[in-house]
Amino acid sequence: MTAERPDAVPGNEEEALGLVEAGEAIGIPTATLLLNSVAVTLAQPRSVVREARRLTGDTLRILAGKSTRGPAKGDRRFADPAWSQNPAFRRLCQEYLTLCESFSHLVDDLDTDRRSWQDVERARFVANILMSAAAPTNFLLSNPAALKRVFDTAGLSVAKGASQWWRDLRENGGMPSQTDRSAFEVGTDLAATPGAVVHRDELAEIIQYTPTTATVRRQPVIIVPPPIGRYYFLDLRPGRSFVEYAVSRGLQVFMISWRNPGPGMGETGMDSYAARIMSALDVVGEICETPELSLIGFCAGGILTSTVLNHLAAHDDDRVRAVSFAVTLLDFESRAALGAFSAPRLLELAQKNSRRAGVITGRQLGNVFSWMRPDDLVFNYWVSNYLMGEPPPVFDILAWNADSTNLPARLHADFLEIFKNNTLCQPGALTVLGTPVELSRITTPAFVTGAITDHLTPWKGCYRTTELLSGPSTFVLSNAGHIASLVNPPGNPKATYYTSREAGAGPDTWFKSAAKRPGTWWELWADWTIERSGDEAPAPAQLGGGAHPPLQPAPGLYVRDRTP
């Protein structure tokens, strides 16, 4: 007998990319909220009766061996031949799939029952967890691949699985480990593009990267990563680094490396983060001897970037000559899976909890987003780690995903306010750096990206940014998901993106006229940014300059949770 490979473990780096997500700060779901969502779903008498009748009929056909139901193509949970060849396992799989279909129908019916889309997404979130947890592949006696592994290893797989379960219970909050982080070292394997820290304060370091071309563009680019997670998803290993690619195109590249806040930084909010970006503009301008530059904000970093641009526009400061927003939502009215966490009471509780602790921990944030994709991010590792006795896989992007950071209570509260009341889109409803936010006053040329399979920041919501700003905008749609669209180097034969000259007519009209092109948006972004980065000049012989000498080699201290 041979054991099947665990259905959940990624087989290559591309699959690993699809298993991770980065998201905005949200409320942590409570047990009460989850139970209420189940009650709402079942409180539909007609729908429940209809599904009970259908489920009974399907069950009778399954028991009689007359059902042709089978798992969806690509559902690797049921890849073992036993699920199609063994009568008992085949019937078990069919009954599980029938039950999932009924529950899905009940959730879909909420859409026609005058429920808000947030209520529907909340119910869908709970249903996905329950159905994923109920999969027969999650249990030893109903997982043929795991049973084969027990036989082949004479029970050793059970012992290894129990050992890994006990270790995760003690060291990982009871969640199954997604990767072996010890296989990579930040600064050696990850975040390894050469450069130096040229400025540091209590909140962030500024990293300048070493040019690799004889000439560079005079106007530099500052990267604003999200304050949730480490910045080095943008600087993974050589060949998979956005930073490395941007430098290779002759751009002068600077990175803001946010500090991982502790409880003592609980009062650090959006004003502090926006002010740090403002000071970065000054530092980089002094080093490059030019006030003009470009910004690119990723995810929640794009939210911070928009408030800085608003402040600059209000003060007639046009030093930012171009701005880019990568998978960033500014309008939270867009329907998204994040709506599952937008109940007012839930957001209030989340705010109180983080204020009490000073921070919302990286583990809390990571667990929420894992449960948004329970098949991929929870139960597949449950099966591989515990039932199969396999060690966690080794992938750079999974190592980054596990290297979580905290979020200050004040910034968490600020994000929750934006999320709950959509204040970024209401002129004057939000004030940052003493300036009321009015996105329409921003006229800076913008390059905006979305990802077609992104469920955290849906691409139509990302497209909305082009309508909120008043300057000329270019929108590009990647063919991947949230993080996979960002770690998207040239040379991937599967990478594609959509572009269109249609502007201002809404996302659907834009997509109808869009052309699908091979390659990655990195290349198009670099071309666009270079056009707006001034003339060429000899590459600097050394990093830093004037009052900002190099302090130490990249990636610096903060990404390693160290302080001077």
Side-chain angles (χ1 to χ4, degrees):
M1 300 174 73
T2 59
E4 290 291 317
R5 186 178 175 280
D7 58 7
V9 177
N12 54 48
E13 293 180 344
E14 184 178 351
E15 291 180 14
L17 280 171
L19 295 180
V20 302
E21 299 291 356
E24 320 309 331
I26 57 176
I28 306 298
T30 63
T32 300
L33 174 75
L34 303 185
L35 291 175
N36 286 344
S37 296
V38 173
V40 167
T41 304
L42 296 178
Q44 304 177 89
R46 292 183 180 179
S47 296
V48 170
V49 170
R50 181 199 67 212
E51 289 305 314
R53 290 173 177 170
R54 191 191 63 79
L55 187 60
T56 300
D58 284 350
T59 299
L60 292 175
R61 282 189 290 274
I62 290 170
L63 292 175
K66 297 180 179 180
S67 175
T68 59
R69 186 182 301 276
K73 183 179 181 181
D75 189 343
R76 291 182 295 176
R77 294 176 300 175
F78 302 103
D80 191 285
W83 291 111
S84 58
Q85 298 175 10
N86 182 289
F89 280 119
R90 183 176 65 251
R91 286 172 169 80
L92 181 60
C93 174
Q94 290 173 331
E95 185 65 19
Y96 167 71
L97 295 175
T98 297
L99 183 62
C100 289
E101 184 178 70
S102 289
F103 220 107
S104 180
H105 288 166
L106 290 176
V107 174
D108 290 341
D109 285 350
L110 291 175
D111 253 337
T112 61
D113 193 28
R114 296 183 180 179
R115 295 282 179 176
S116 69
W117 69 262
Q118 290 91 343
D119 285 338
V120 177
E121 290 302 326
R122 198 171 300 120
R124 198 180 309 280
F125 171 79
V126 176
N128 285 341
I129 292 177
L130 293 177
M131 292 300 96
S132 293
T137 50
N138 295 334
F139 307 94
L140 179 62
L141 296 181
S142 56
N143 187 322
L147 291 174
K148 292 174 186 176
R149 178 60 61 88
V150 173
F151 181 86
D152 289 346
T153 64
L156 185 60
S157 62
V158 175
K160 289 182 177 179
S163 175
Q164 291 184 152
W165 173 82
W166 178 244
R167 183 172 61 251
D168 284 341
L169 185 65
R170 289 181 290 113
E171 301 175 3
N172 201 42
M175 294 288 285
S177 297
Q178 297 177 359
T179 189
D180 179 7
R181 284 183 55 194
S182 64
F184 297 100
E185 182 180 353
V186 175
T188 300
D189 307 295
L190 309 174
T193 299
V197 174
V198 292
H199 193 261
R200 177 188 293 125
D201 66 9
E202 290 298 313
L203 187 55
E205 294 175 324
I206 299 176
I207 301 171
Q208 180 183 11
Y209 291 97
T210 304
T212 58
T213 54
T215 60
V216 295
R217 294 289 167 168
R218 290 187 181 277
Q219 297 174 16
V221 178
I222 300 177
I223 299 174
V224 185
I228 307 165
R230 315 285 181 176
Y231 78 82
Y232 63 85
F233 71 95
L234 299 169
D235 187 23
L236 285 172
R237 292 183 292 170
R240 286 161 51 75
S241 166
F242 178 82
V243 170
E244 177 191 53
Y245 176 74
V247 170
S248 76
R249 293 295 305 272
L251 292 167
Q252 297 190 74
V253 180
F254 292 78
M255 174 75 72
I256 296 178
S257 175
W258 301 113
R259 182 178 180 178
N260 184 18
M265 297 177 66
E267 289 303 313
T268 307
M270 185 170 289
D271 272 318
S272 299
Y273 279 81
R276 186 59 177 111
I277 297 173
M278 288 291 294
S279 69
L281 300 182
D282 296 332
V283 169
V284 172
E286 292 172 14
I287 290 174
C288 296
E289 299 181 345
T290 174
E292 298 179 342
L293 44 76
S294 298
L295 287 173
I296 176 169
F298 288 82
C299 312
I303 294 176
L304 298 173
T305 298
S306 71
T307 66
V308 170
L309 290 174
N310 171 78
H311 178 74
L312 293 173
H315 291 80
D316 295 322
D317 187 335
D318 63 352
R319 72 178 105 168
V320 177
R321 310 302 293 174
V323 63
S324 301
F325 295 94
V327 291
T328 296
L329 275 186
L330 300 182
D331 184 349
F332 284 89
E333 282 298 319
S334 303
R335 183 163 185 164
L338 285 174
F341 309 99
S342 62
R345 178 59 179 160
L346 174 61
L347 297 181
E348 291 171 9
L349 287 174
Q351 185 172 335
K352 290 179 180 178
N353 289 338
S354 63
R355 186 185 301 120
R356 186 182 305 115
V359 296
I360 180 172
T361 67
R363 175 174 290 178
Q364 288 174 308
L365 286 171
N367 286 350
V368 169
F369 289 100
S370 291
W371 286 113
M372 291 182 75
R373 297 182 62 187
D375 281 340
D376 291 334
L377 295 175
V378 180
F379 292 110
N380 62 5
Y381 294 107
W382 172 277
V383 171
S384 62
N385 294 3
Y386 308 151
L387 302 190
M388 305 294 289
E390 295 269 352
V394 175
F395 284 114
D396 52 9
I397 195 65
L398 294 180
W400 165 80
N401 192 53
D403 192 7
S404 59
T405 63
N406 304 326
L407 201 66
R410 172 54 58 190
L411 182 63
H412 185 219
D414 291 341
F415 278 147
L416 290 180
E417 180 64 25
I418 292 172
F419 185 48
K420 179 171 65 174
N421 296 319
N422 203 27
T423 49
L424 271 177
C425 294
Q426 301 175 39
L430 176 70
T431 297
V432 179
L433 298 175
T435 304
V437 174
E438 187 173 342
L439 296 179
S440 62
R441 65 160 57 106
I442 300 172
T443 59
T444 308
F447 185 97
V448 181
T449 73
I452 199 166
T453 58
D454 189 342
H455 70 291
L456 288 175
T457 57
W459 76 266
K460 292 183 180 181
C462 294
Y463 178 89
R464 173 78 173 129
T465 297
T466 67
E467 300 171 328
L468 292 171
L469 309 183
S470 296
S473 296
T474 297
F475 184 75
V476 178
L477 181 61
S478 173
N479 71 322
H482 191 77
I483 288 295
S485 72
L486 303 180
V487 185
N488 197 0
N492 180 1
K494 296 182 180 180
T496 59
Y497 61 89
Y498 296 84
T499 61
S500 173
R501 295 184 180 275
E502 194 75 36
D508 294 325
T509 299
W510 179 92
F511 188 74
K512 289 178 181 178
S513 64
K516 186 176 182 180
R517 305 181 186 281
T520 166
W521 66 269
W522 288 13
E523 298 165 294
L524 195 62
W525 170 84
D527 292 339
W528 184 90
T529 302
I530 287 170
E531 290 178 3
R532 294 158 179 81
S533 296
D535 299 329
E536 289 184 300
Q542 58 185 16
L543 301 181
H548 308 292
L551 302 179
Q552 69 181 106
L557 297 178
Y558 287 172
V559 75
R560 297 178 170 123
D561 282 340
R562 299 174 188 168
T563 55

